[in-house]
Amino acid sequence: MTAPKLVQGYEVVIGFETHAQLSTKSKIFSRASVAFGAEPNTQACAVDMALPGTLPVMNIGAVERAIEFGLGVNAHIAERSIFARKNYFYPDLPKGYQISQFEIPVVQGGEVSFFLEVGKETVHKTVRLERAHLEEDAGKSLHEDFIGQSGIDLNRAGTPLLEIVTQPDMRSSDEAVAYAKELHKIVTWIGICDGNMQEGSFRCDANVSVRKPGAALGTRREIKNLNSFKFMQQAIDYEVRWQIDQIEDGHAIEQATVLFDPDTGETRAMRTKEDAADYRYFPDPDLPPLVIGRDWVERVKSEMAELPRVMAERFVNDYALPEYDATQLTQSKAAAAYFEATAKACGQPKLASNWIMGEVSRRMNAGDVNFETLPVSAAQLGALIARITDNTISNSAARQVFDGLWNQEGEVDAIIDAKGLKQINDTGALEAIIDEVLAANPKNVEEFKAGNTKALNGLVGPIMKASKGKANPAQVNELLMKKLG
Ligand code: ADP
Ligand code: MG
């Protein structure tokens, strides 16, 4: 492991709490719908409104998703976990408590690992998870400034959440963002969360502290509800600088909950942090312990799709791809499927990978296109790569063919013909061009023969130009060397 990079002599320590909204149709303890965007309070039933006499009933789909997550991160699935009441007052919480898990969560331990770029190096990082527990979301206060009133919308009350808590293992905002992206990939890949950050389906709280290397953990401040990767990075960077400034000015950091304001780029204290003791947690008498038999876990395991890290390993073993490529290509199921289909179509996995991570990604980023809407099919890309390997076209010509495919101009061979991109492999034709260029550039020939190898460039360039870029570069080189002795 490389030593962590220090900021002004301080080590940064970050731990994450992430709320992933589970992709069930109904709420965690009631049958009301969780669909986003409905009229206020049209999706809140008696249980969600906390009417007296109502009782929560566990949604089995939420439990199943928690099991899937646990299996996806190599965690222990508790055979028996407990729901607890977390007591606090807030207008959007009519029960006066949130049902969550405290002492015994359903998912225990586990880890998330990923690659990240540090300077020119690719570093492998593993973040240990502490736990993931099931809980319900609260409602929402709506402040209607134009009528000077606030209202409560309980549609979100009872929405199933999985709160995923890490150990304080991250050492920079870059690591934190890479972790959050990897976690986002895992939950969307498994399909337990739609990952929509704008709608709040995946929101992160970043706990940040700084310390001198080797010192005990510093006091943390928790940045709440980060709902974009960009803001996450900005918020943590600002917070780290702020804490260091405070300490350097002789102030102690006070534990607090803070909010990031994207308009000012600053974090601001919301409230001083309450401790677990303030919530008076106790087991919810309305819900029995959550019991998960091993047979249930086994069934879920057998029905789960191949996980991204397992798939990446397979890409390394079966296609001889570097680990970095394999990781990049398993960023989404669609990317992985596109790669596998392309590799099969051309029989050249590494070239397929290079093209997808290079030209294809570039065009996708520039055009706001994703793997689902990509205009070039895997079969077409495969056919294009096959034409490079059988020497029909050069790499630079291939990029022109790719443009043609992107613009829906036809199939690979038709585009090669239409654009006249066939590589000249015919020795006689190449020699004729070379002789012409040599005769026209006697000075370069002299210089090369006198030992100036750079003079060769002055010959290859005009040859490629005379062939309209269609000469086979390897062959040109070989013939040229022969002619120049
Ligand atoms: P809560 O915030 O609900 O009280 P915890 O005390 O378990 O919960 O911690 C929440 C998160 O804060 C965890 O992700 C943990 O890794 C992280 N954390 C704990 N101590 C520190 C610290 N000194 N600096 C940075 N992160 C920390
Ligand atoms: Mg917290």
Side-chain angles (χ1 to χ4, degrees), residues 13-17 86 130 163 165-169 207-209 217-220 222 255 273-274 276:
V13 176
I14 305 166
F16 260 59
E17 294 161 276
K86 181 180 183 179
E130 193 175 298
E163 177 171 344
V165 184
T166 75
Q167 306 262 6
D169 277 355
N207 292 270
V208 180
S209 67
L217 283 181
T219 302
R220 69 192 153 105
E222 178 175 352
Q255 189 168 327
K273 171 77 184 168
E274 45 291 272

Side-chain angles (χ1 to χ4, degrees), residues 259-293:
L259 279 181
F260 176 67
D261 181 348
D263 294 328
T264 61
E266 299 179 354
T267 53
R268 207 159 10 89
M270 208 162 87
R271 51 182 144 98
T272 52
K273 171 77 184 168
E274 45 291 272
D275 275 321
D278 298 327
Y279 290 119
R280 299 288 186 272
Y281 280 101
F282 66 88
D284 191 322
D286 288 342
L287 285 157
L290 175 59
V291 175
I292 299 175

